[in-house]
Amino acid sequence: MSTIEIPVRHIASVWREYAQRDGVTDPAVELLAREVYPGYPSWGYRPAFRVPGTDLVVEIVSSQPHPSYAQALQWIEWMLERLHDNGNIQLHREAS
């Protein structure tokens, strides 16, 4: 599995490049969190997502890691919803 690390400010563009197909988020995208230093959970977690059909994981780097897996996962879910709300990404098909 390969991992790329991106700064928070690039989430929308990287999401559109890797996680969207035909302008809509691929339902197979997996949201997750990764230990900053594998084997040392006390150092914190970074939000991430796994791209469907590849071995690519995109890890989001910010100035401060999240203290738990659940908090990192909650953050990425929240951030993606905000990016969807302001039109930067498309999470699902809009009802016509």
Side-chain angles (χ1 to χ4, degrees):
M1 170 174 22
S2 57
T3 301
I4 60 171
E5 295 179 349
I6 63 160
V8 171
R9 69 181 176 275
H10 294 299
I11 294 172
S13 61
V14 172
W15 185 267
R16 286 190 307 268
E17 182 177 347
Y18 292 106
Q20 288 187 188
R21 298 290 177 258
D22 301 320
V24 177
T25 296
D26 186 328
V29 170
E30 178 186 0
L31 301 181
L32 46 103
R34 305 216 10 185
E35 292 177 348
V36 173
Y37 294 105
Y40 295 93
S42 63
W43 283 78
Y45 293 82
R46 290 184 179 146
F49 62 92
R50 187 182 330 267
V51 179
T54 71
D55 284 332
L56 181 64
V57 172
V58 176
E59 193 170 307
I60 301 156
V61 178
S62 63
S63 60
Q64 190 71 14
H66 298 271
S68 72
Y69 184 100
Q71 289 173 322
L73 192 58
Q74 182 181 21
W75 183 88
I76 192 170
E77 290 169 348
W78 174 84
M79 179 55 75
L80 292 173
E81 285 293 332
R82 299 301 67 78
L83 291 170
H84 172 80
D85 290 347
N86 69 23
N88 282 300
I89 64 171
Q90 190 69 26
L91 290 177
H92 43 74
R93 295 200 186 280
E94 299 295 322
S96 0

